[in-house]
Amino acid sequence: MISFKEVSIHFKNEIGVKDVTFEIGSDEFIFLIGPTGSGKTTLMRLVYMDLFPDEGVITVCGFDSKSIKKRKIPLLRRKIGMIFQDYNLLTDRNVLENVALPLHMEGIKRIEIYERVLLILDDLGLKETEKKMLWELSGGEQQRVCVARALVKNPEVILADEPTGNLDPIAALDLVQLLEEVNKEGTTVLMASHNYNLIKNRSHRILELQNGVIQ
Amino acid sequence: MELFSKMTDKISFLFIEGFRNLWRHKLTAFTSIFSVFLALLLVGILFIIGQNSHYPIEYFRSKYKIEVFFENNILNVGESEIIKNIRNFPEVRSVTPISKKDAVRIFKNQFGEDVIEMLGYNPLPSSAVVNIIKEGFEKINIAPLIEKINSINGVDSVHYQGWLINRIEKIYQLFLQGLKIAIVLIIIFSIIIISNTIKLTIYSRKDLIKTLDLIGATKFFIKVPFIFEGILQSFIGAVLAVSLIFGLMKLGNNYLTQVSSIEIIWNFYFGIILFTLSILIGFIGSYRAVSKFL
């Protein structure tokens, strides 16, 4: 599903990641851990091809970094559900409009979109919130809206970049458990975090990054 | 068929989003619409001034007088022939004959003296007053006409306000040139101002554009609502500007027709030009702005 082969990227004064090689199969749940500045976000951006490596090859859902054309990148990103630390929701729209967006991109009919959105909101404990604007929701609820938007299109991969960063411990735990349930249903999950307490005692593979290098 | 249906669903969603964005961002939409409205209002007013600038010049031209004096020994038949000749010139609007008798009467009205009583005979020649065509934006060059009249047999002399006529015509042409330049400059500045206003409204939503890009939206999916929104803002501004201009003209004409025969002219095609200009500006401004962030 995701494959990194000797991937390196350099920025002006520092190394982003260096010689990173790993593979993540389908149905896997991987924690990507490391202190702040270790390269977790850089690695995530390489996965959804917001950045391209200076060396090496990345393959994600059948698309590879060396041969992908710029106009095909949106097609890759539609296979990936992204969950961000700062949610990256559209603040000028309500919950329904935010969650429905990926489905509109696919050209799905309005009635089907409405049904799917309501179903996913219900599954995530966000029933009756579809008409609410984002500022009417708590941080935890907003993060779940972000999860709903990621899941509504049935992605092959979930990328979660520090999704618990702005949540209280209980909400953070709820979110991790939610992602684990999603993973059980067959979706690959790659979750970046520097919260070691949240991750310990969980039976998932861990990739540890230190100064851009996989330990 | 399914592909076509998906495409139409997507496109209709994008256009509806353009409408919705106007409502979601009312303040920035108002700013854009108002700037378009002001710019097009100014262009429209200047254009109407240009279209109707013929009224004052026609008034002045109606006062241009060319006096043609006939030779003393000319017979009435000869005079009529000369007058007929002059009337046939394309620059001439009317020719009014003044007989020797009329000349005496005019002299008495102007100077209070009967010249026949004074001299015992009438020395005043017969003449004709020539009025030229007053319509048209082009400069009137009176010299060729004077030459033509002078060359007619039986014409003794031609008197006209040459210096004054040339001066008035020159000023009018300068005014028209200045107006054209002003209109072009204002159109250019309007395009820049409107374009920048639209850019600013889009710039304030650059995070939104980035988010759409991250969750898999194509450039087309991101751009279309913004472009449509820009076109809508410009179109609404144009509707308001044209409506106000039209309303003011109607009001003006209601008043003017009561006190004079002047009527402000409105060229229908000008309205089309304003709308086309507004749509073009809206499209170009928003396309360039949103492309900057992709």
Side-chain angles (χ1 to χ4, degrees), chain A residues 13-34:
Chain A
N13 297 323
E14 57 193 37
I15 296 168
V17 295
K18 190 168 187 265
D19 256 338
V20 169
T21 299
F22 65 84
E23 273 195 35
I24 301 175
S26 54
D27 302 357
E28 277 205 77
F29 191 123
I30 309 289
F31 283 117
L32 178 64
I33 62 170

mmCIF file of all heavy atoms in Angstrom, chain A residues 13-34:
data_model
loop_
_atom_site.group_PDB
_atom_site.id
_atom_site.type_symbol
_atom_site.label_atom_id
_atom_site.label_comp_id
_atom_site.label_asym_id
_atom_site.label_seq_id
_atom_site.Cartn_x
_atom_site.Cartn_y
_atom_site.Cartn_z
ATOM 1 N N ASN A 13 18.466 24.350 5.032
ATOM 2 C CA ASN A 13 19.518 24.236 6.048
ATOM 3 C C ASN A 13 19.483 22.919 6.800
ATOM 4 O O ASN A 13 20.220 22.748 7.762
ATOM 5 C CB ASN A 13 19.364 25.384 7.066
ATOM 6 C CG ASN A 13 19.561 26.725 6.408
ATOM 7 O OD1 ASN A 13 20.401 26.865 5.523
ATOM 8 N ND2 ASN A 13 18.764 27.705 6.800
ATOM 9 N N GLU A 14 18.573 22.031 6.405
ATOM 10 C CA GLU A 14 18.461 20.804 7.198
ATOM 11 C C GLU A 14 17.983 19.636 6.357
ATOM 12 O O GLU A 14 17.506 19.797 5.241
ATOM 13 C CB GLU A 14 17.483 21.037 8.354
ATOM 14 C CG GLU A 14 16.119 21.482 7.876
ATOM 15 C CD GLU A 14 15.220 22.012 8.980
ATOM 16 O OE1 GLU A 14 15.711 22.674 9.898
ATOM 17 O OE2 GLU A 14 14.026 21.738 8.884
ATOM 18 N N ILE A 15 18.110 18.485 6.989
ATOM 19 C CA ILE A 15 17.635 17.269 6.320
ATOM 20 C C ILE A 15 16.172 17.062 6.701
ATOM 21 O O ILE A 15 15.808 17.152 7.873
ATOM 22 C CB ILE A 15 18.464 16.059 6.800
ATOM 23 C CG1 ILE A 15 19.920 16.243 6.366
ATOM 24 C CG2 ILE A 15 17.910 14.764 6.243
ATOM 25 C CD1 ILE A 15 20.870 15.269 7.029
ATOM 26 N N GLY A 16 15.342 16.749 5.732
ATOM 27 C CA GLY A 16 13.940 16.440 6.010
ATOM 28 C C GLY A 16 13.849 15.006 6.509
ATOM 29 O O GLY A 16 13.541 14.747 7.664
ATOM 30 N N VAL A 17 14.108 14.087 5.580
ATOM 31 C CA VAL A 17 14.270 12.677 5.947
ATOM 32 C C VAL A 17 15.468 12.126 5.167
ATOM 33 O O VAL A 17 15.815 12.647 4.106
ATOM 34 C CB VAL A 17 13.011 11.828 5.664
ATOM 35 C CG1 VAL A 17 11.851 12.261 6.537
ATOM 36 C CG2 VAL A 17 12.641 11.824 4.211
ATOM 37 N N LYS A 18 16.072 11.078 5.734
ATOM 38 C CA LYS A 18 17.277 10.557 5.064
ATOM 39 C C LYS A 18 17.214 9.041 4.974
ATOM 40 O O LYS A 18 17.013 8.347 5.983
ATOM 41 C CB LYS A 18 18.502 10.975 5.890
ATOM 42 C CG LYS A 18 19.827 10.717 5.189
ATOM 43 C CD LYS A 18 20.962 11.422 5.937
ATOM 44 C CE LYS A 18 22.243 11.312 5.160
ATOM 45 N NZ LYS A 18 23.171 10.352 5.375
ATOM 46 N N ASP A 19 17.381 8.554 3.779
ATOM 47 C CA ASP A 19 17.493 7.108 3.527
ATOM 48 C C ASP A 19 16.370 6.288 4.168
ATOM 49 O O ASP A 19 16.632 5.268 4.803
ATOM 50 C CB ASP A 19 18.815 6.593 4.108
ATOM 51 C CG ASP A 19 19.818 6.349 2.996
ATOM 52 O OD1 ASP A 19 19.382 6.177 1.840
ATOM 53 O OD2 ASP A 19 21.017 6.333 3.297
ATOM 54 N N VAL A 20 15.169 6.761 4.032
ATOM 55 C CA VAL A 20 14.052 6.071 4.690
ATOM 56 C C VAL A 20 13.544 4.940 3.791
ATOM 57 O O VAL A 20 13.233 5.147 2.627
ATOM 58 C CB VAL A 20 12.912 7.076 4.980
ATOM 59 C CG1 VAL A 20 11.648 6.367 5.405
ATOM 60 C CG2 VAL A 20 13.351 8.077 6.030
ATOM 61 N N THR A 21 13.492 3.759 4.377
ATOM 62 C CA THR A 21 12.956 2.592 3.650
ATOM 63 C C THR A 21 12.008 1.844 4.551
ATOM 64 O O THR A 21 12.358 1.491 5.679
ATOM 65 C CB THR A 21 14.097 1.654 3.213
ATOM 66 O OG1 THR A 21 14.965 2.363 2.337
ATOM 67 C CG2 THR A 21 13.550 0.431 2.492
ATOM 68 N N PHE A 22 10.796 1.639 4.102
ATOM 69 C CA PHE A 22 9.836 0.810 4.825
ATOM 70 C C PHE A 22 8.693 0.472 3.896
ATOM 71 O O PHE A 22 8.517 1.080 2.848
ATOM 72 C CB PHE A 22 9.309 1.502 6.094
ATOM 73 C CG PHE A 22 8.491 2.747 5.843
ATOM 74 C CD1 PHE A 22 7.132 2.673 5.551
ATOM 75 C CD2 PHE A 22 9.091 4.007 5.910
ATOM 76 C CE1 PHE A 22 6.390 3.832 5.333
ATOM 77 C CE2 PHE A 22 8.351 5.159 5.688
ATOM 78 C CZ PHE A 22 7.001 5.069 5.400
ATOM 79 N N GLU A 23 7.929 -0.511 4.341
ATOM 80 C CA GLU A 23 6.714 -0.856 3.583
ATOM 81 C C GLU A 23 5.555 -1.021 4.542
ATOM 82 O O GLU A 23 5.713 -1.556 5.644
ATOM 83 C CB GLU A 23 6.925 -2.174 2.826
ATOM 84 C CG GLU A 23 7.544 -1.934 1.480
ATOM 85 C CD GLU A 23 7.463 -3.123 0.546
ATOM 86 O OE1 GLU A 23 6.466 -3.862 0.584
ATOM 87 O OE2 GLU A 23 8.419 -3.295 -0.224
ATOM 88 N N ILE A 24 4.416 -0.556 4.119
ATOM 89 C CA ILE A 24 3.190 -0.736 4.920
ATOM 90 C C ILE A 24 2.184 -1.444 4.032
ATOM 91 O O ILE A 24 1.833 -0.958 2.959
ATOM 92 C CB ILE A 24 2.610 0.625 5.363
ATOM 93 C CG1 ILE A 24 3.631 1.401 6.198
ATOM 94 C CG2 ILE A 24 1.319 0.424 6.149
ATOM 95 C CD1 ILE A 24 3.194 2.810 6.575
ATOM 96 N N GLY A 25 1.771 -2.609 4.506
ATOM 97 C CA GLY A 25 0.813 -3.393 3.723
ATOM 98 C C GLY A 25 -0.604 -2.927 3.986
ATOM 99 O O GLY A 25 -0.850 -2.100 4.879
ATOM 100 N N SER A 26 -1.535 -3.461 3.228
ATOM 101 C CA SER A 26 -2.937 -3.091 3.464
ATOM 102 C C SER A 26 -3.400 -3.716 4.793
ATOM 103 O O SER A 26 -2.858 -4.730 5.223
ATOM 104 C CB SER A 26 -3.822 -3.567 2.326
ATOM 105 O OG SER A 26 -3.631 -4.949 2.113
ATOM 106 N N ASP A 27 -4.330 -3.101 5.438
ATOM 107 C CA ASP A 27 -4.889 -3.501 6.743
ATOM 108 C C ASP A 27 -3.941 -3.250 7.911
ATOM 109 O O ASP A 27 -4.258 -3.616 9.035
ATOM 110 C CB ASP A 27 -5.275 -5.003 6.793
ATOM 111 C CG ASP A 27 -6.277 -5.354 5.725
ATOM 112 O OD1 ASP A 27 -6.713 -4.447 4.998
ATOM 113 O OD2 ASP A 27 -6.638 -6.540 5.612
ATOM 114 N N GLU A 28 -2.784 -2.671 7.641
ATOM 115 C CA GLU A 28 -1.867 -2.412 8.763
ATOM 116 C C GLU A 28 -2.214 -1.131 9.485
ATOM 117 O O GLU A 28 -2.770 -0.194 8.887
ATOM 118 C CB GLU A 28 -0.427 -2.286 8.235
ATOM 119 C CG GLU A 28 0.276 -3.627 8.035
ATOM 120 C CD GLU A 28 1.782 -3.486 8.116
ATOM 121 O OE1 GLU A 28 2.292 -3.359 9.250
ATOM 122 O OE2 GLU A 28 2.427 -3.482 7.050
ATOM 123 N N PHE A 29 -1.865 -1.090 10.784
ATOM 124 C CA PHE A 29 -1.983 0.142 11.583
ATOM 125 C C PHE A 29 -0.575 0.450 12.061
ATOM 126 O O PHE A 29 0.034 -0.325 12.785
ATOM 127 C CB PHE A 29 -2.919 -0.081 12.771
ATOM 128 C CG PHE A 29 -3.299 1.196 13.484
ATOM 129 C CD1 PHE A 29 -4.644 1.551 13.621
ATOM 130 C CD2 PHE A 29 -2.345 2.055 14.025
ATOM 131 C CE1 PHE A 29 -5.021 2.732 14.286
ATOM 132 C CE2 PHE A 29 -2.715 3.225 14.657
ATOM 133 C CZ PHE A 29 -4.049 3.561 14.803
ATOM 134 N N ILE A 30 -0.044 1.587 11.650
ATOM 135 C CA ILE A 30 1.336 1.949 11.991
ATOM 136 C C ILE A 30 1.347 3.251 12.763
ATOM 137 O O ILE A 30 0.701 4.232 12.358
ATOM 138 C CB ILE A 30 2.186 2.150 10.714
ATOM 139 C CG1 ILE A 30 2.071 0.973 9.767
ATOM 140 C CG2 ILE A 30 3.634 2.465 11.051
ATOM 141 C CD1 ILE A 30 2.743 -0.293 10.228
ATOM 142 N N PHE A 31 2.103 3.260 13.868
ATOM 143 C CA PHE A 31 2.364 4.523 14.559
ATOM 144 C C PHE A 31 3.687 5.075 14.064
ATOM 145 O O PHE A 31 4.678 4.356 13.980
ATOM 146 C CB PHE A 31 2.467 4.293 16.080
ATOM 147 C CG PHE A 31 1.140 4.111 16.749
ATOM 148 C CD1 PHE A 31 0.824 2.900 17.374
ATOM 149 C CD2 PHE A 31 0.195 5.125 16.775
ATOM 150 C CE1 PHE A 31 -0.402 2.736 18.009
ATOM 151 C CE2 PHE A 31 -1.029 4.955 17.403
ATOM 152 C CZ PHE A 31 -1.333 3.754 18.018
ATOM 153 N N LEU A 32 3.686 6.338 13.754
ATOM 154 C CA LEU A 32 4.930 7.004 13.358
ATOM 155 C C LEU A 32 5.271 7.945 14.504
ATOM 156 O O LEU A 32 4.564 8.925 14.761
ATOM 157 C CB LEU A 32 4.711 7.795 12.064
ATOM 158 C CG LEU A 32 5.903 8.599 11.517
ATOM 159 C CD1 LEU A 32 7.040 7.670 11.128
ATOM 160 C CD2 LEU A 32 5.478 9.430 10.324
ATOM 161 N N ILE A 33 6.323 7.605 15.236
ATOM 162 C CA ILE A 33 6.594 8.419 16.414
ATOM 163 C C ILE A 33 7.940 9.130 16.276
ATOM 164 O O ILE A 33 8.775 8.761 15.451
ATOM 165 C CB ILE A 33 6.567 7.574 17.710
ATOM 166 C CG1 ILE A 33 7.667 6.510 17.669
ATOM 167 C CG2 ILE A 33 5.208 6.948 17.916
ATOM 168 C CD1 ILE A 33 7.854 5.808 19.018
ATOM 169 N N GLY A 34 8.101 10.127 17.101
ATOM 170 C CA GLY A 34 9.346 10.885 17.106
ATOM 171 C C GLY A 34 9.110 12.225 17.737
ATOM 172 O O GLY A 34 7.966 12.701 17.771
#
